[in-house]
Amino acid sequence: ERVTLEPGVVIDTREGPVWLEDGVAVRAFTRLAGPAHVGRGTTVLGGPLSAVSVGPVCKVHGEVEESVLLGYANKAHDGFLGHAYVGRWVNLGALTTNSDLKNNYGPVRLWTPEGEVDTGALKLGCLIGDHVKTAIGTLLNTGTVVGAGANLFGPGPPPKYVPPFRWGTGPEAGVYDLDRFLATAEAVMARRNVTMTAGQRAVLRAAWELARQAG
């Protein structure tokens, strides 16, 4: 119900169904290929999207392929997102792009708490935690893992593992101040008419403290 499709939208169901939840708006010059699911209140702002699962109240633009956006994520500008997993309340700056295929076409290696593992996958983009922000033009290598609450900016691509609540990615990178992080998160949520609860604040505070203990 209340789905808006502007002129110039192409929906391709040859490879699978396309499910648009209530209140979805699809702007002109979008090509949406199934299988795909777009959550309630999400706006698709243009570009080719295929085999995607997009949660509620997102803004999505650009080339997105075989990716999951959990909800309340903002990718409102150009940039490629492929074989990626994006948490809630993430904001991807304009032209943020991830690689999902190595130059030698070999399997992608991925950081885990127990060490790097060979995934055996030919294509694997990035895994991004909740409340992550990326600067304009951020480039993410294959198999990049970004911890929750990280704010990515600085010279060159971020490392393949960015710890939670990291402030910057260069030699001068530090820890995102807890009070500043919480204030920003609260402001971001308010823009989507969501109020941060005391429970959510407590969970984020506990996550920040665990990240500090882990170093």
Side-chain angles (χ1 to χ4, degrees), residues 123-211:
K123 285 194 171 186
L124 178 62
C126 55
L127 291 83
I128 299 178
D130 293 353
H131 291 280
V132 167
K133 309 287 187 292
T134 69
I136 291 173
T138 300
L139 303 177
L140 302 171
N141 284 312
T142 51
T144 293
V145 178
V146 183
N151 196 317
L152 306 187
F153 62 90
K160 287 193 66 175
Y161 170 61
V162 180
F165 303 99
R166 181 66 61 178
W167 179 259
T169 58
E172 304 301 320
V175 176
Y176 202 160
D177 177 79
L178 176 60
D179 290 335
R180 292 176 63 188
F181 165 75
L182 290 173
T184 298
E186 192 168 11
V188 168
M189 295 172 71
R191 286 169 56 87
R192 297 290 184 266
N193 298 314
V194 177
T195 300
M196 182 183 291
T197 66
Q200 289 169 329
R201 183 179 292 272
V203 167
L204 292 171
R205 183 180 295 275
W208 186 90
E209 291 172 350
L210 283 172

Side-chain angles (χ1 to χ4, degrees), residues 102 106-110 117-124 142-143 160:
K102 294 175 64 174
V108 179
R109 297 186 65 82
L110 184 73
V117 297
D118 186 338
T119 65
L122 184 63
K123 285 194 171 186
L124 178 62
T142 51
K160 287 193 66 175

Side-chain angles (χ1 to χ4, degrees), residues 56-89:
V57 198
C58 292
K59 292 184 183 295
V60 185
H61 182 272
E63 184 180 359
V64 184
E65 175 184 298
E66 298 196 28
S67 295
V68 175
L69 289 80
L70 288 186
Y72 295 90
N74 187 53
K75 184 196 178 301
H77 304 283
D78 285 335
F80 172 68
L81 190 67
H83 297 82
Y85 184 91
V86 178
R88 296 167 74 89
W89 302 108

